[in-house]
Amino acid sequence: MPHLATYVGLLHHSERTLAEALRTVGEGHAAEADVYHVCDTLAKMSEEHVRRLEPVVRRYGEQRHGDDVEEPERLYADGLGEVRKGPVGLLRDLQDLHVLATLVQTTWTAVAQAAQGVRDRELLELAHTSQAETGRQLSWLTTRLKAAAPQALIVAP
């Protein structure tokens, strides 16, 4: 199961990165009250996923970015160092979060399949629960992106 450790590591890192990025965007766009509060709630979801992944990391290990892992490192997520300003900045930041959350979602899908293969019910349950919550994160990001787009792309500054 050498590659399961690769994906556990990718998942662990990506969930942490998503939580940090959600907090960065929420705080950076705090003038948008819904963005601030919802990003905080969504960050807590990812932080809980990280916490619940700890026993999985102990059980299977985790191969991290740069540990001679060729394929998944192409998908390595750096997160957001800082937010962009204004309506177009919010739109771009929401897009970045969506891309990162999609990476998390598809990684949970792959790990869920592996959990079935190794008959790890605990990991499978965690994967299904986390996939559903990541789906809620993606749903909000899509909805908020749709709301931000007209303001950012049509209205003159």
Side-chain angles (χ1 to χ4, degrees), residues 20-98:
E20 291 167 6
L22 283 161
R23 291 209 184 280
T24 299
V25 170
E27 291 166 8
H29 294 284
E32 302 280 340
D34 67 315
V35 173
Y36 177 79
H37 292 290
V38 176
C39 280
D40 179 64
T41 299
L42 300 180
K44 288 176 183 171
M45 280 183 190
S46 286
E47 289 164 350
E48 179 63 12
H49 298 168
V50 169
R51 187 192 69 72
R52 292 186 65 201
L53 269 168
E54 293 300 331
V56 175
V57 169
R58 285 191 298 276
R59 191 162 50 250
Y60 295 107
E62 69 178 317
Q63 200 148 18
R64 296 181 184 160
H65 174 67
D67 290 348
D68 292 330
V69 178
E70 291 182 27
E71 279 305 304
E73 80 176 16
R74 292 184 327 158
L75 299 175
Y76 179 83
D78 286 325
L80 299 156
E82 57 186 56
V83 295
R84 298 169 182 101
K85 302 293 180 211
V88 174
L90 174 60
L91 183 62
R92 292 289 292 127
D93 290 342
L94 291 169
Q95 285 183 283
D96 287 348
L97 287 173
H98 197 283

Side-chain angles (χ1 to χ4, degrees), residues 1 111-120 124:
M1 292 183 280
V111 168
Q113 292 302 112
Q116 274 185 303
V118 297
R119 293 173 173 43
D120 186 333
L124 185 59

